[in-house]
Amino acid sequence: MRTLSYKDAISEALVQAMDNDPDIFIFGLGVDDYKGIFGTTREAYRRFGPERVFDTPASEGALMGITLGAAVNGKRPVMVHARNDFMFLALDQLLNNAAKWKYVYAGKTSVPCLVRGIVGKGWGQGVTHSQNIQAVCAHVPGLHVAVPSSPYLAKGLILQALQTDGPVVILESRALYDTVGPVSEEMYTFDFGKAHVCRRGKDVTVVATSLMVPEALKAAGILEAHGIDLEIIDPVSLQPMDERTIIESVKKTGHLICVDNDWLRCGFSAEVAAVVADQAFGSLKKPVKRIGWAFSPCPVSKTLEDRFYPSCQNIIETVLHLLDRDVPYNKECALTTDTFLGPY
């Protein structure tokens, strides 16, 4: 299979879906800009023009109202937030209307729409451009919420979202846009509620989301050289959640580390820990460990930001704590305690 970048996989998915369905249109601040939301909407604008890909004012609440109105009238809108932080301004209609109308109207009305939000990281994004609102969205019944970690998943989830009879939120990490991976040229979908087992292993289950998946895979590669075998599971969609795959893995390994691209308090990692405690407590050899963002607003300083976000180093040190192992590292792989944010 050919390789494609994460951003190009999103672009290709949108173009293929729009070719297939004339009711799909894309709108949001900057979607028709020459940069095209980091390159994800540029080709769609070139192909379909301003009638189906168009810029908007920075009025997120009004845009969500347009999304709902268009969806219930037979269109399939794709609303894009260049930073998912601004989705807070649209949450009233997203959570109180779009997510609930199918239930309220006994299945006779649905709101088929896709809301794309981008989670910022790097180059000094600061406190209002670097948050992740995944936990807020996944908390409310009626929404599908997904956080693709690879180009393959990004394309498959967007194509699935644009065939789903209801509202979907896909949150993309900006830091993944230039990553590359195998992606089929054909149209394909990836089901919501289906986890992706990225790596098979026997010693420790690592459930990682979004940007933390490549960090977990890096950690697995380093630890493999020292006889420690990690199983890496990407939940892919936070709602619905594939509990079975996670439980089966924990029953095999007896250990669980959850690495989330978000704060830990009241977040997805806590949900994973609760599900495992409820359904596989007897299989755990040690308590569940969780790794996530430092519990603070994200600093603008690059040096402080590097400390704010966890990395493969944090995952490796947590594995060593969990297994009571002391593994020597060469200079290139050396771990220092001052970089360890800690899962506790």
Side-chain angles (χ1 to χ4, degrees):
M1 210 183 298
R2 60 163 187 172
T3 59
L4 207 62
S5 71
Y6 188 103
K7 62 186 177 185
D8 288 338
I10 293 171
S11 174
E12 183 171 89
L14 292 170
V15 168
Q16 289 180 343
M18 293 175 78
D19 263 334
N20 248 23
D21 186 348
D23 288 324
I24 296 173
F25 66 93
I26 303 170
F27 70 126
L29 189 64
V31 297
D32 64 348
D33 183 78
Y34 75 97
K35 294 181 180 178
I37 309 296
F38 306 105
T40 63
T41 61
R42 185 167 49 212
E43 180 62 17
Y45 178 72
R46 188 188 71 81
R47 290 277 298 275
F48 302 104
E51 290 187 356
R52 294 182 66 187
V53 182
F54 52 89
D55 191 26
T56 65
S59 303
E60 287 78 8
L63 299 181
M64 195 67 233
I66 293 170
T67 301
L68 267 65
V72 299
N73 282 284
K75 298 295 183 182
R76 196 173 282 272
V78 179
M79 182 183 180
V80 182
H81 296 273
R83 294 292 182 275
N84 84 148
D85 312 59
F86 303 130
M87 287 174 64
F88 282 119
L89 300 168
L91 286 186
D92 178 24
Q93 293 183 86
L94 177 63
L95 302 184
N96 281 328
N97 299 129
K100 296 180 173 66
W101 277 3
K102 189 169 185 177
Y103 174 84
V104 168
Y105 293 106
K108 296 178 181 178
T109 300
S110 63
V111 185
C113 64
L114 168 59
V115 179
R116 289 179 53 210
I118 298 168
V119 181
K121 178 183 183 294
W123 79 94
Q125 291 294 282
V127 297
T128 59
H129 288 67
S130 57
Q131 299 168 99
N132 187 344
I133 72 165
Q134 62 178 30
V136 177
C137 294
H139 183 67
V140 177
L143 291 180
H144 288 83
V145 182
V147 288
S149 63
S150 70
Y152 172 81
L153 292 171
K155 179 177 176 178
L157 286 166
I158 284 179
L159 289 172
Q160 179 64 51
L162 292 173
Q163 298 175 26
T164 297
D165 185 24
V168 176
V169 174
I170 292 182
L171 300 174
E172 308 151 12
S173 173
R174 169 66 184 89
L176 288 170
Y177 276 176
D178 292 324
T179 60
V180 297
V183 179
S184 173
E185 293 184 49
E186 304 299 321
M187 293 182 71
Y188 63 89
T189 60
F190 193 93
D191 293 340
F192 297 113
K194 178 183 177 182
H196 178 56
V197 181
C198 306
R199 185 185 191 278
R200 299 285 180 182
K202 60 182 175 55
D203 293 327
V204 179
T205 298
V206 177
V207 175
T209 64
S210 185
L211 184 59
M212 294 298 100
V213 174
E215 293 300 317
L217 289 169
K218 289 179 197 174
I222 294 171
L223 289 169
E224 183 180 28
H226 298 283
I228 299 174
D229 194 16
L230 302 187
E231 180 150 293
I232 312 295
I233 297 176
D234 177 359
V236 184
S237 69
L238 309 187
Q239 178 56 38
M241 171 184 169
D242 183 356
E243 299 179 3
R244 181 178 177 180
T245 297
I246 296 171
I247 294 300
E248 288 177 351
S249 178
V250 171
K251 286 182 177 179
K252 177 176 66 174
T253 66
H255 296 288
L256 173 63
I257 298 172
C258 190
V259 193
D260 198 12
N261 189 43
D262 197 2
W263 292 297
L264 300 183
R265 185 63 56 85
C266 302
F268 181 71
S269 66
E271 183 67 22
V272 173
V275 166
V276 170
D278 183 47
Q279 300 183 40
F281 183 77
S283 299
L284 289 171
K285 301 173 184 176
K286 292 281 187 70
V288 174
K289 299 300 180 186
R290 298 188 293 141
I291 302 172
W293 297 353
F295 196 58
S296 159
C298 181
V300 172
S301 160
K302 183 66 170 66
T303 302
L304 292 176
E305 189 187 56
D306 288 343
R307 297 287 302 278
F308 175 82
Y309 292 107
S311 70
C312 67
Q313 291 183 326
N314 306 112
I315 297 169
I316 291 170
E317 291 203 13
T318 304
V319 171
L320 299 183
H321 277 278
L322 196 63
L323 298 180
D324 295 321
R325 294 284 296 273
D326 182 18
V327 179
Y329 285 85
N330 59 35
K331 185 176 180 181
E332 288 73 21
C333 299
L335 301 177
T336 56
T337 54
D338 66 346
T339 63
F340 183 41
L341 301 176
Y344 307 110

